[in-house]
Amino acid sequence: MTFYITLALSAFLISLLGTRFVILALRKRTVLLDIPNLRSNHRAPVPKGGGLAVVTALVICLLVADISYDIILSLLLLTAISLLDDLIGVPVIVRLGVQILAVAIPLSTMSDLILPAVLPNWLDKVIIGIFWVWFINLFNFMDGIDGLSATEMICIGIGLCLPAVLAGAFPDGLSTHSLIVVAAACGFLWWNWHPARIFLGDVGSIPIGFLLGFLLLIAIHDGYTYTALILPGYYLGDGTITLLRRLKKREKIWMAHSEHYYQRAVRAGRSHESVVRYIFGINLLLILLATLSVLHEEIAVVFVAIAYFAVFMLLGFFAHTPPTESA
């Protein structure tokens, strides 16, 4: 147990100190600088290379925790293309191609996936790959205000640790890797809480989305399907509904925008802290419901329904409640 606590502490410190180093390195430089525009939710230029420190912490500690080398290779591949995109811009088709490759690498060695008794193995992998790539981009799209993505990492990671704790199986692969994600996110959140001194940037949000998608997939593989459906509920709800709304308006869905429900709440006048606290609150409910779905699997579908009802209620609150505070 001491080993895993030390590993988590190492991830926290590498992320915390590494992010501070990145902030100092990028200070007064135009490289990796997020300049505010009409769609932005911040007012002053902010460095956006914080993902470099977080991904470094994840890669080092996950390697020590004996994660598959395929996952590390894909993480590094996504980090490289995303850093290049942050620096000079990369065509969307190239980024998408690299994301597909990054997902295909670990999928090529996986077996007994989600529906092995219903679908051929190749079709099972294609379906998983589509949703995995979608989740990567979903996480990137949702990284739009101070503290949000780090908070989401923490909540999903905690929720994925709990099944092993409840079953007396901690530490196992899923819980150990999730604990490392929680620790690295906590180190970054210190610098990313409003007013943020640094952002993740694509170099962080893209590989982190990939890693969280992998952990959710492993949760499904280990029998925690309802847990994997519930935990990312807010991101799935906000991201998917916003995508459908933009498709209906025939907008270019890969272009930057500020139409997510949490962004609309901030632009209406609510503070970053307020919006993130609401989302943290709904995530605590999702963690509780995910835990109940493990303890009472016979009625787990009820907990899924409650989870998404609560998410939709929060989205409606963000969309229609008049602002009560200044940003």
Side-chain angles (χ1 to χ4, degrees):
M1 182 65 70
T2 302
F3 170 76
Y4 296 101
I5 294 174
T6 302
L7 194 58
L9 181 60
S10 299
F12 171 77
L13 290 175
I14 295 171
S15 179
L16 178 73
L17 300 178
T19 303
R20 177 57 175 166
F21 174 81
V22 173
I23 293 173
L24 292 174
L26 296 178
R27 181 174 291 175
K28 297 181 180 180
R29 299 189 182 189
T30 57
V31 64
L32 290 177
L33 195 64
D34 195 325
I35 306 296
N37 55 44
L38 292 176
R39 295 184 301 270
S40 300
N41 296 298
H42 60 288
R43 298 175 180 175
V46 178
K48 59 178 181 179
L52 288 169
V54 180
V55 172
T56 298
L58 290 171
V59 167
I60 292 173
C61 294
L62 288 172
L63 277 172
V64 175
D66 202 28
I67 200 170
S68 168
Y69 288 115
D70 290 344
I71 299 300
I72 297 298
L73 175 60
S74 293
L75 276 173
L76 294 176
L77 185 63
L78 289 170
T79 301
I81 192 65
S82 300
L83 177 60
L84 190 62
D85 186 42
D86 279 335
L87 288 171
I88 62 173
V90 175
V92 63
I93 190 66
V94 175
R95 285 180 278 140
L96 183 60
V98 174
Q99 291 170 14
I100 292 172
L101 175 61
V103 165
I105 290 172
L107 278 178
S108 66
T109 61
M110 291 182 183
S111 60
D112 297 329
L113 297 170
I114 294 179
L115 298 171
V118 179
L119 299 175
N121 186 268
W122 69 268
L123 183 56
D124 201 12
K125 290 183 178 182
V126 168
I127 293 173
I128 291 171
I130 291 171
F131 281 100
W132 199 347
V133 171
W134 160 235
F135 190 82
I136 291 171
N137 288 282
L138 170 72
F139 196 86
N140 183 39
F141 296 157
M142 292 292 289
D143 182 31
I145 61 173
D146 301 350
L148 180 56
S149 287
T151 298
E152 186 73 6
M153 288 173 66
I154 292 167
C155 292
I156 291 179
I158 290 173
L160 291 175
C161 281
L162 285 178
V165 173
L166 294 172
F170 182 85
D172 63 358
L174 177 62
S175 60
T176 301
H177 300 153
S178 299
L179 182 62
I180 290 170
V181 168
V182 172
C186 287
F188 178 71
L189 185 60
W190 180 271
W191 306 108
N192 184 237
W193 190 255
H194 188 71
R197 281 160 281 186
I198 194 166
F199 298 150
L200 277 174
D202 286 358
V203 70
S205 61
I206 292 291
I208 289 169
F210 166 85
L211 179 60
L212 289 177
F214 169 72
L215 294 177
L216 291 168
L217 177 59
I218 294 302
I220 294 173
H221 183 271
D222 289 352
Y224 304 120
T225 300
Y226 297 108
T227 295
L229 289 174
I230 291 172
L231 288 175
Y234 180 79
Y235 266 37
L236 290 175
D238 192 332
T240 303
I241 293 174
T242 300
L243 172 68
L244 294 175
R245 288 174 57 247
R246 299 193 74 217
L247 283 172
K248 184 179 180 181
K249 294 187 289 185
R250 299 187 178 183
E251 296 177 348
K252 297 178 179 179
I253 59 174
W254 58 88
M255 299 296 291
H257 64 89
S258 58
E259 296 183 31
H260 287 290
Y261 287 87
Y262 74 89
Q263 291 173 318
R264 291 161 65 185
V266 169
R267 293 175 75 85
R270 298 187 181 279
S271 68
H272 289 232
E273 302 102 312
S274 172
V275 173
V276 173
R277 286 187 181 113
Y278 277 117
I279 296 172
F280 178 68
I282 203 71
N283 272 327
L284 290 180
L285 175 61
L286 297 180
I287 291 171
L288 173 62
L289 292 169
T291 303
L292 290 173
S293 75
V294 175
L295 297 175
H296 303 284
E297 190 172 358
E298 68 280 3
I299 57 170
V301 66
V302 175
F303 300 125
V304 175
I306 295 172
Y308 281 91
F309 176 77
V311 167
F312 294 148
M313 290 291 288
L314 181 59
L315 295 180
F317 175 75
F318 282 163
H320 301 297
T321 302
T324 57
E325 56 189 283
S326 60

